[in-house]
Amino acid sequence: LDTDLQRLHAEITAIATWDDHEVQNDYAGEWSPTFDDPHKFLARRTAAYRAFYEHMPLRPSLSRPEGASMRIYDRFDVGNLVRFSVIDGRQYRSREACYAPPNRGGGHQETDSACPERRDPSRSMIGATQESWLYDGLAQSKACWNVLAQDVLMAELKERNANREIAYWTDDWNGYPANRARLLGHIQESRVTNPVVIGGDIHSFWTNDLKIDVNDSRAPIIATEFVGTSVTSYPPPYELFAAMLPDNPHVRFFDSRQRGYASVELMPERMITRYRAVSDVKDPDASVSTLKTFVVENGKPGAVTG
């Protein structure tokens, strides 16, 4: 019933994927973060997927739900300029690493010493079938730009736990580092043209260099990642995340203090990404300004300030 949202869908082509809140915060496949009975949880997922199908712009022939299952991963070509590979990072993922009651459901910090399961090479964020589909589509793409549209932060992010030890969040790609390494390795080996990853979830702006080994300063940049902030939802604490940046030199930019969106101008020669900040999300007449601009040049992975 929101008139602005109605206008958006009337005027703008939308391509959508989901994250967790369509069903339950930080769910993973058939596993509830609150350790619900699987049958109860899958009944909730069935209803949620049906509602998503009925309200979101999807291909009916592809995405018609079947019980608790519904395919939304898809690809879209705009001539030979860009291929959008849109993936589902929730439905097929392995259970979150070191999942155990009462406080290890959903996203939580884990150190490598306490949770070796996190690095298990058999674990997947997107499932074997979708992985194969994605790799084939990227390898066969003839597009000038290849944009991987997905739901959460992909870059490795070293955090600090209460004991000041290096720890990793289990709900984004940091909970599935083997899958991330496989994906980036495939992009490198297949020589995918101009790979760019876009994401969300973390309610803040990020620009990241994606590398297979971020601990090696000489490691090549495989792809560029842009993460858009939330439109209205509250952000993570700026000071807390800003303090992590010295441990993560591959993070080129972070800001959680602004609400807004990312606007991209794409041409064969370059991609220009502008982080747009709204002065007051509660004011229909709010002003909009550009917080930061980044440019990725054709054939040169890694963003530079525009």
Side-chain angles (χ1 to χ4, degrees):
L1 300 179
D2 185 283
T3 56
D4 291 322
L5 183 60
Q6 290 174 352
R7 181 181 171 191
L8 175 73
H9 283 305
E11 296 184 5
I12 302 296
T13 299
I15 297 174
T17 189
W18 55 34
D19 191 30
D20 50 348
H21 287 274
E22 290 80 4
V23 180
Q24 186 179 5
N25 181 56
D26 287 1
Y27 84 95
E30 62 191 75
W31 292 277
S32 162
T34 48
F35 312 104
D36 294 346
D37 175 87
H39 296 290
K40 177 182 176 182
F41 176 72
L42 287 177
R44 180 187 306 138
R45 200 176 90 170
T46 297
Y49 284 7
R50 181 72 194 186
F52 191 90
Y53 174 77
E54 291 176 354
H55 288 83
M56 297 299 289
L58 300 166
R59 299 187 203 240
S61 60
L62 178 78
S63 298
R64 188 177 302 277
E66 297 181 4
S69 300
M70 178 177 143
R71 174 176 165 176
I72 64 166
Y73 64 87
D74 203 353
R75 63 176 62 101
F76 303 87
D77 292 332
V78 181
N80 61 2
L81 177 65
V82 57
R83 166 166 286 186
F84 293 100
S85 298
V86 184
I87 65 173
D88 175 355
R90 284 288 162 186
Q91 182 175 188
Y92 312 108
R93 63 163 63 187
S94 302
R95 191 187 66 187
E96 299 231 3
C98 300
Y99 175 93
N103 58 2
R104 287 188 169 186
H108 54 280
Q109 285 184 332
E110 290 288 356
T111 64
D112 278 341
S113 59
C115 185
E117 179 189 9
R118 187 182 73 90
R119 292 192 174 275
D120 185 338
S122 68
R123 290 169 46 75
S124 178
M125 168 74 88
I126 60 177
T129 298
Q130 189 178 193
E131 277 197 52
S132 178
W133 169 89
L134 176 61
Y135 298 164
D136 287 346
L138 290 172
Q140 296 167 11
S141 174
K142 304 300 182 183
C144 179
W145 296 88
N146 285 277
V147 176
L148 176 57
Q150 50 91 54
D151 49 337
V152 294
L153 183 76
M154 182 176 287
E156 180 173 316
L157 185 65
K158 297 182 177 72
E159 303 184 13
R160 295 279 178 173
N161 64 14
N163 297 322
R164 302 297 300 161
E165 301 169 300
I166 294 292
Y168 301 90
W169 192 246
T170 62
D171 188 61
D172 56 24
W173 285 87
N174 289 288
Y176 304 83
N179 192 173
R180 178 175 57 204
R182 286 195 298 272
L183 172 57
L184 295 177
H186 173 82
I187 289 173
Q188 183 181 42
E189 293 164 9
S190 300
R191 299 183 179 181
V192 176
T193 305
N194 296 320
V196 175
V197 175
I198 59 175
D201 174 65
I202 199 168
H203 300 189
S204 41
F205 288 119
W206 298 74
T207 299
N208 305 313
D209 293 335
L210 295 180
K211 300 181 176 184
I212 296 176
D213 184 3
V214 298
N215 298 309
D216 182 358
S217 61
R218 298 169 298 176
I221 301 170
I222 306 301
T224 303
E225 179 178 32
F226 295 110
V227 177
T229 191
S230 51
V231 175
T232 58
S233 297
Y234 291 109
Y238 175 79
E239 292 77 12
L240 177 66
F241 278 82
M244 300 175 188
L245 299 185
D247 290 326
N248 297 279
H250 54 287
V251 175
R252 307 293 298 277
F253 179 77
F254 160 76
D255 196 300
S256 64
R257 297 167 293 187
Q258 308 287 337
R259 310 276 60 74
Y261 58 93
S263 174
V264 177
E265 183 179 356
L266 188 60
M267 58 202 81
E269 298 81 13
R270 65 187 59 86
M271 169 185 280
I272 304 172
T273 299
R274 297 178 176 91
Y275 291 150
R276 302 282 280 164
V278 179
S279 61
D280 184 352
V281 295
K282 297 179 181 179
D283 181 4
D285 297 317
S287 62
V288 183
S289 60
T290 297
L291 177 65
K292 198 78 173 179
T293 300
F294 287 96
V295 177
V296 180
E297 298 286 349
N298 186 339
K300 298 178 181 179
V304 297
T305 302

